[in-house]
Amino acid sequence: MNIAVCDDNDTDAARLVSMLEGAHTYRIFSSAEDLLFHLDDSSESFDLYLLDIFMGEMNGVLLGKRIRKINESALICYISSSPDYYAEAFSLYAFQYLLKPVSQESFRELLRRASSQLSQNRQQSIHLHARGRNISIPYQNVLYITSMGHTLSIHCVDGHIERFGGRLGEFADQLDEAVFVRCHQSFLVNLYNVSALKSDFFFCGEEQIPISRRYRSVKERYRSLLFSDMT
């Protein structure tokens, strides 16, 4: 993975880098402004962003919002001395939120999960045949899937909708249940593209996806995915 570490505390940044194991590359930025300037001025892309919360004029939350505009699917992990920004992390669908000081075990698990997710994004796709065409849609491009009658609709990140015939339950059995979950009789949602959880709704960007009482356990699955191994 190519990793961006953004922390205005040189000691904390160096400690994170010292815990890297395996064939990872990294670049350290001492401020949000430095990182944004690099993204604007360079073609380099990062697989994982490790962002401190408390930094100068632009904090990690504002930086995360800017990164999201550049790359909607970026994996963002907040690393902070305070748990006070969990809600903001939810709104930015952060990949994880770790509390300082980060242990080697927690950091190793973060890298393992990030590598696994990147592998899924690159390799896993939905394959189907519709209207005489063979179609392949990467998991990372799918927000959610809806059912109306015997018509299924795949709603994609770029706004495209692919419609085809089928039953939602049968189609769900063909997908990775660690990624796509049933949250309603008529909805499957990609947990990794959920931007927020509020009351009985998932949000995928501006799209509001209902969570029915029958499937309310998916709320805890989402929370576990987002905030596992925070310490």
Side-chain angles (χ1 to χ4, degrees):
M1 286 186 294
N2 192 24
I3 302 170
V5 179
C6 191
D7 195 322
D8 60 357
N9 185 309
D10 294 340
T11 301
D12 287 347
R15 184 171 185 276
L16 287 177
V17 169
S18 72
M19 292 192 292
L20 285 174
E21 299 173 343
H24 301 296
T25 58
Y26 66 89
R27 190 181 293 271
I28 297 176
F29 301 91
S30 60
S31 71
E33 291 80 5
D34 286 346
L35 174 52
L36 289 175
F37 179 81
H38 181 78
L39 293 176
D40 288 339
D41 194 53
S42 168
S43 60
E44 183 177 14
S45 61
F46 296 98
D47 300 307
L48 175 65
Y49 292 84
L50 305 178
L51 309 182
D52 184 29
I53 291 289
F54 302 106
M55 295 187 297
E57 295 183 6
M58 180 181 291
N59 65 28
V61 174
L62 294 177
L63 174 59
K65 292 179 179 179
R66 293 285 297 274
I67 291 173
R68 275 282 168 258
K69 292 181 179 179
I70 298 170
N71 182 357
E72 291 184 350
S73 61
L75 298 183
I76 295 175
C77 174
Y78 285 110
I79 299 178
S80 176
S81 57
S82 169
D84 294 341
Y85 287 83
Y86 287 172
E88 286 84 352
F90 265 117
S91 70
L92 290 169
Y93 49 112
F95 183 69
Q96 200 160 333
Y97 193 118
L98 296 177
L99 293 176
K100 295 181 179 182
V102 179
S103 69
Q104 177 73 62
E105 182 179 356
S106 295
F107 194 63
R108 184 182 295 119
E109 177 62 13
L110 164 67
L111 296 178
R112 185 199 66 77
R113 289 184 59 240
S115 295
S116 176
Q117 180 58 34
L118 288 168
S119 178
Q120 285 183 352
N121 288 348
R122 290 164 181 163
Q123 297 178 12
Q124 289 187 286
S125 297
I126 294 174
H127 303 284
L128 53 94
H129 186 80
R131 297 188 296 279
R133 298 177 299 143
N134 291 317
I135 300 168
S136 179
I137 306 174
Y139 274 19
Q140 64 179 336
N141 293 348
V142 179
L143 292 175
Y144 60 94
I145 302 165
T146 61
S147 171
M148 181 174 293
H150 296 302
T151 299
L152 301 182
S153 300
I154 299 176
H155 296 253
C156 299
V157 171
D158 62 3
H160 175 70
I161 301 175
E162 190 66 54
R163 294 184 174 88
F164 59 101
R167 295 181 180 275
L168 194 61
E170 295 175 358
F171 188 66
D173 291 339
Q174 304 173 33
L175 304 176
D176 187 340
E177 63 181 9
V179 180
F180 290 95
V181 297
R182 191 86 173 258
C183 60
H184 186 276
Q185 181 178 351
S186 301
F187 288 87
L188 282 171
V189 68
N190 183 342
L191 282 181
Y192 289 92
N193 279 335
V194 168
S195 56
L197 168 63
K198 298 180 181 179
S199 185
D200 292 325
F201 295 93
F202 282 131
F203 285 80
C204 295
E206 299 299 320
E207 299 291 331
Q208 184 172 294
I209 313 300
I211 302 171
S212 66
R213 184 172 301 177
R214 178 182 177 184
Y215 298 102
R216 60 188 175 188
S217 62
V218 301
K219 297 180 184 180
E220 192 56 39
R221 283 191 60 183
Y222 175 66
R223 293 189 184 102
S224 297
L225 177 69
L226 184 59
F227 294 122
S228 61
D229 300 303
M230 289 187 298
T231 59

